[in-house]
C-alpha cells in the first residue's frame, strides 16, 4: 500500500502569516490516465472532513483562494497564504490514484 | 445541495455487529461511488471500502475483508456499512463520503456527519 507522510505534524501559526504542509508519497501518484489524484482535506474540531483541493491544485467549490496546492509525482504541498482563525484544524492529504485509497497522518494547524 | 445524513451513535458489545446508514440527497445517487472511512480516537482517517451504487460492486480494504459489508438501497438513496465481530479497537467515528465520480480514483467531495460506534462490555 502507498504510505503518505505529512510534515510537520503540528504547525503553530500567527494570524495573517502563511502556513505550509508537505505530503510525501512512498510511490508516484501519477495515474495511468496521466492525472494525479492527490487531495487535501480540512477537518475543523468536531466536524467531518471537508474537501479543499483535488488533483494536486484544483480548489473545490467555495474554498477561499488563500488555499493552494502544488507538487508532482511523490511530493506535494498545501499552502495557506494568510492564516485566519477559521483555518484551525487538522489537514490531511489523501491519495486515490492507487488501490487502496489512503490518508496522511494529519497536520494540526493552530494559532500561536 | 448534496447532503449525506448518517444514522445515530451506537454502543455495541464485543463480538456484535453494527450497521450504519448514510442517506444521500441533492444528487442522483447512482451516478457517484460511495466510500466508507473511519477515524479512531487520535488516529488518522482510515479507508474501509466503497460501493458503486449503480451496480452494487464493492471493494474493501484488506484490513477489513471478511468483517465489513457495504450495501445500498437505490430506491432510498441510502448506503449501508455493516461491521461484524466488533472489538474495542473498532471504537471510532464512521463516515460515508461521496466520490467525485462513478469510480473511486476521483477522490471524495462530500462527507456525512459521522456516526460514533463505541464497542464496550
Amino acid at each position: 500500500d502507498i504510505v503518505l507522510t505529512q510534515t510537520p505534524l503540528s504547525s503553530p501559526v500567527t494570524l495573517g502569516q502563511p502556513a505550509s504542509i508537505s505530503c510525501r508519497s512512498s510511490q508516484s501518484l501519477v495515474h495511468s490516465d496521466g492525472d494525479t489524484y492527490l487531495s487535501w482535506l480540512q477537518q475543523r474540531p468536531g466536524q467531518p472532513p471537508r474537501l479543499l483541493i483535488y488533483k494536486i491544485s484544483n480548489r473545490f467549490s467555495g474554498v477561499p483562494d488563500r488555499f493552494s496546492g502544488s507538487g508532482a509525482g511523490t511530493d506535494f504541498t498545501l499552502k495557506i497564504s494568510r492564516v485566519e482563525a477559521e483555518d484551525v484544524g487538522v489537514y490531511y492529504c489523501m491519495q486515490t490514484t492507487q488501490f487502496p485509497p489512503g490518508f496522511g497522518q494529519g497536520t494540526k494547524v493552530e494559532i500561536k | 445541495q448534496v447532503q449525506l445524513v448518517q444514522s445515530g451513535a451506537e454502543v455495541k458489545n464485543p463480538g456484535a455487529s453494527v450497521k450504519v446508514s448514510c442517506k444521500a440527497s441533492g444528487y442522483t445517487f447512482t451516478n457517484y461511488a460511495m466510500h466508507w472511512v473511519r477515524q479512531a480516537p487520535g488516529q488518522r482517517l482510515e479507508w474501509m471500502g466503497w460501493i458503486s451504487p449503480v451496480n452494487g460492486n464493492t471493494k474493501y480494504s484488506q484490513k477489513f475483508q471478511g468483517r465489513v459489508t457495504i450495501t445500498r438501497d437505490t430506491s432510498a438513496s441510502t448506503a449501508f456499512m455493516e461491521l461484524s465481530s466488533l472489538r474495542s479497537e473498532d471504537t471510532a467515528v464512521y463516515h460515508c463520503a461521496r466520490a467525485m465520480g462513478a469510480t473511486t480514483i476521483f477522490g471524495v467531495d462530500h462527507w456525512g456527519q459521522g456516526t460514533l460506534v463505541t464497542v464496550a462490555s
Side-chain angles (χ1 to χ4, degrees):
Chain A
D1 295 359
I2 287 178
V3 176
L4 298 177
T5 303
Q6 290 183 227
T7 53
L9 297 184
S10 178
S11 180
V13 185
T14 302
L15 286 173
Q17 293 301 301
S20 181
I21 301 169
S22 169
C23 175
R24 179 162 290 180
S25 173
S26 60
Q27 299 175 38
S28 172
L29 296 183
V30 180
H31 192 269
S32 57
D33 67 6
D35 271 324
T36 300
Y37 297 99
L38 186 283
S39 304
W40 288 96
L41 310 172
Q42 175 197 60
Q43 188 172 29
R44 291 171 173 152
Q47 294 191 15
R50 164 198 178 202
L51 177 65
L52 295 177
I53 303 283
Y54 63 97
K55 288 202 294 183
I56 301 178
S57 58
N58 296 274
R59 263 190 307 277
F60 188 56
S61 173
V63 174
D65 60 8
R66 64 180 181 275
F67 291 95
S68 64
S70 63
T74 60
D75 288 291
F76 306 92
T77 303
L78 174 72
K79 290 183 180 173
I80 310 173
S81 58
R82 295 172 306 280
V83 171
E84 298 189 5
E86 66 179 17
D87 300 336
V88 165
V90 181
Y91 292 76
Y92 296 93
C93 54
M94 176 188 186
Q95 73 82 19
T96 46
T97 292
Q98 269 199 40
F99 182 86
F103 300 88
Q105 69 269 56
T107 295
K108 188 173 186 178
V109 171
E110 52 196 357
I111 305 301
K112 271 186 194 173
Chain B
Q1 75 280 23
V2 174
Q3 280 196 305
L4 302 174
V5 178
Q6 297 182 221
S7 48
E10 303 262 13
V11 179
K12 295 292 182 181
N13 290 326
S17 297
V18 67
K19 191 170 186 177
V20 180
S21 68
C22 170
K23 181 165 178 60
S25 61
Y27 70 98
T28 302
F29 180 68
T30 50
N31 285 356
Y32 297 84
M34 190 75 79
H35 297 262
W36 285 88
V37 175
R38 79 176 187 181
Q39 188 170 31
Q43 302 297 312
R44 75 174 73 188
L45 297 164
E46 186 173 32
W47 185 82
M48 300 180 69
W50 72 279
I51 186 167
S52 168
V54 67
N55 56 23
N57 286 348
T58 54
K59 212 161 184 183
Y60 303 123
S61 166
Q62 191 167 6
K63 176 175 178 175
F64 301 101
Q65 194 81 39
R67 283 210 302 144
V68 67
T69 305
I70 299 174
T71 56
R72 93 289 190 219
D73 177 349
T74 55
S75 66
S77 296
T78 300
F80 303 91
M81 186 284 301
E82 184 168 21
L83 188 63
S84 62
S85 303
L86 290 169
R87 35 212 189 226
S88 58
E89 310 89 88
D90 294 318
T91 294
V93 176
Y94 290 77
H95 292 278
C96 57
R98 192 190 80 160
M100 297 182 76
T103 67
T104 55
I105 63 168
F106 299 108
V108 297
D109 59 0
H110 289 87
W111 292 69
Q113 83 276 18
T115 296
L116 175 61
V117 175
T118 302
V119 183
S121 52

